[in-house]
Amino acid sequence: MADNDQVSRGFRLLDCQEASKHHFERAANRLKMKRRLRDWILKPFREISVHLPVVMDDGEIHLFQGYRVQHNNTRGPYKGGLRYHPEVSHDDVRGLASWMTWKTALLGLPLGGAKGGITCNPKAMSEAELERLTRKYTQAISMDIGPSQDIPAPDVNTNEKVMAWMMDEYSKLRGYAPAVVTGKPIDLGGSPGRLDATGRGVAIIIEQWAADNNVPIENGTAVIQGFGNVGYHTAYHLNRAGCRVVGVSDTGACVYNSKGLPVEELIKHKQETGSVKSFPGAETMAPAEVFGLQCDFLVPAALENAIKGDNFEQIKARAIFEAANGPVCPLVEPGLTEMGITIVPDILANSGGVVVSYFEWVQNLQQFSWTAETIDMELKNKMINAYRQVVEKATAEQVSLRLAAYMLAIDKVAWASLVRGAY
Ligand code: GLU
């Protein structure tokens, strides 16, 4: 969602596609990958762009633009979320789709990568309008998605209700198929643990990193930027592990208390008032101040390019855990590294969502449900295993965790591409 000419304190902002390419090329250089193979695995396999006429509540017809970019299905069906946002562009969806390919490869899931987006302002739309828009979009892409083709899921501003509409519309057109989307309500084939999976996964990675770096989680402090589904559940699980969540921000404000914030009360306050602003017992400040707060773990959990030229120098955290996709502008990363701040990359840190999506899909295909305990255990196993691989690779190659994660992921996709062949 970055304007190409936008500059933040001398550092250009990259859109998701540029950011993804930036990281990819660095890893491919390190792997000495040939140009043709790079193009093969970096360029999206298929792109769908649709115009969706939707009858609004006032009777007027509004035309929306939607996308689905199917980046790569070499290792399994395309997989990735659907985002509703006023500024989502085709290029962003391209970049976000490629991140899903690297994420599923890194985690060893038998899935590829895709992403969908609709340019709309869901906050200004009624539920009925959102339902009509979702159904129109599902109709438009129904021939290109499916349980063994492409499996959408929630992303920014979409949720289990949106997934239920998609599943219903797709099933009307193509026959009952709960496995066509993940992140559904539990009673419609959703999985225990999917709602909080991304946040739970971020907390698992933070705990592991903390243990490896001698920062006892019980004495640790966290700051969360963005208090939506991912931010809230990260805060919740960190809190349960004994970590103090000292700062939380949303688009309206940032709240701070050095003794720790009661996250469950804070979410209630946000639900009632629309923002964390003026939460009793905490100091309220401007949202941008969140990045200057002293803490061990900084968790950007909103949108891309949150950490950029005009704020990265204020950061006082020991490590940044990318709960959002692409929250650190790649051009400020060298500066953060120089400041001694570790960055745990999105394709690892926020992969809990797609891991439990994979479990949901498997349960749908098996027509058998797993318990919440099994899901949590399997999630933990997969995430810690991937974390270990990334740390080992980074140590062996003397590179950042991001570069190590990309090297592992793109190597797997390249290998699968060459073994499957192009005949
Ligand atoms: N939207 C989430 C992500 O960016 C989850 C995708 C999925 O579960 O397919 O990873």
Side-chain angles (χ1 to χ4, degrees), residues 119-411:
T119 314
C120 66
N121 183 2
K123 300 210 165 105
M125 291 170 71
S126 70
E127 192 167 305
E129 289 171 339
L130 284 172
E131 176 171 353
R132 290 196 287 273
L133 175 63
T134 304
R135 288 185 185 275
K136 264 286 159 73
Y137 176 75
T138 311
Q139 289 161 17
I141 63 165
S142 66
M143 296 308 286
D144 295 298
I145 57 172
S148 53
Q149 258 175 291
D150 181 0
I151 306 127
D155 195 78
V156 174
N157 292 329
T158 55
N159 53 25
E160 56 175 42
K161 218 178 255 178
V162 174
M163 294 304 115
W165 295 328
M166 284 192 90
M167 187 272 257
D168 181 71
E169 196 61 31
Y170 180 87
S171 295
K172 276 190 214 155
L173 298 167
R174 315 249 339 240
Y176 179 63
V180 64
V181 288
T182 57
K184 299 177 291 293
I186 292 197
D187 289 333
L188 287 178
S191 176
R194 177 61 187 87
L195 184 65
D196 66 338
T198 309
R200 170 76 182 124
V202 176
I204 290 170
I205 296 289
I206 293 178
E207 280 183 60
Q208 204 53 49
W209 186 88
D212 285 0
N213 290 277
N214 299 319
V215 187
I217 195 82
E218 313 76 47
N219 303 337
T221 51
V223 166
I224 318 275
Q225 179 251 351
F227 208 46
N229 180 46
V230 177
Y232 166 64
H233 285 112
T234 304
Y236 172 84
H237 284 290
L238 282 175
N239 218 215
R240 275 183 50 140
C243 173
R244 256 178 309 139
V245 177
V246 293
V248 168
S249 76
D250 60 18
T251 51
C254 170
V255 286
Y256 176 74
N257 184 333
S258 62
K259 297 199 180 72
L261 296 160
V263 293
E264 284 164 88
E265 282 167 42
L266 185 59
I267 195 72
K268 270 191 211 125
H269 177 84
K270 182 175 164 83
Q271 280 157 356
E272 281 158 18
T273 66
S275 169
V276 295
K277 196 174 176 172
S278 310
F279 180 65
E283 190 184 333
T284 289
M285 30 190 143
E289 294 197 52
V290 70
F291 294 115
L293 297 176
Q294 182 87 45
C295 64
D296 296 309
F297 321 118
L298 176 62
V299 183
L303 290 170
E304 53 274 7
N305 282 324
I307 298 174
K308 50 185 195 258
D310 61 8
N311 62 20
F312 79 97
E313 283 161 326
Q314 303 163 16
I315 294 177
K316 297 188 189 75
R318 300 171 70 135
I320 297 171
F321 296 83
E322 293 188 320
N325 290 310
V328 176
C329 173
L331 303 186
V332 305
E333 216 166 301
L336 288 164
T337 308
E338 244 169 63
M339 289 159 69
I341 299 171
T342 302
I343 302 170
V344 181
D346 45 10
I347 59 170
L348 172 66
N350 74 26
S351 62
V354 74
V355 171
V356 181
S357 272
Y358 164 60
F359 297 155
E360 178 174 332
W361 179 68
V362 169
Q363 292 171 86
N364 293 154
L365 298 179
Q366 289 179 328
Q367 302 193 22
F368 183 81
S369 356
W370 308 356
T371 61
E373 292 71 34
T374 304
I375 285 158
D376 198 57
M377 190 184 73
E378 296 286 344
L379 171 65
K380 221 168 160 182
N381 284 345
K382 283 217 180 310
M383 291 206 64
I384 292 178
N385 187 18
Y387 170 83
R388 286 265 158 264
Q389 286 179 29
V390 171
V391 171
E392 270 164 33
K393 184 83 178 170
T395 313
E397 301 273 342
Q398 289 294 298
V399 295
S400 67
L401 296 177
R402 166 126 40 221
L403 202 47
Y406 268 74
M407 285 169 75
L408 288 168
I410 68 178
D411 209 19

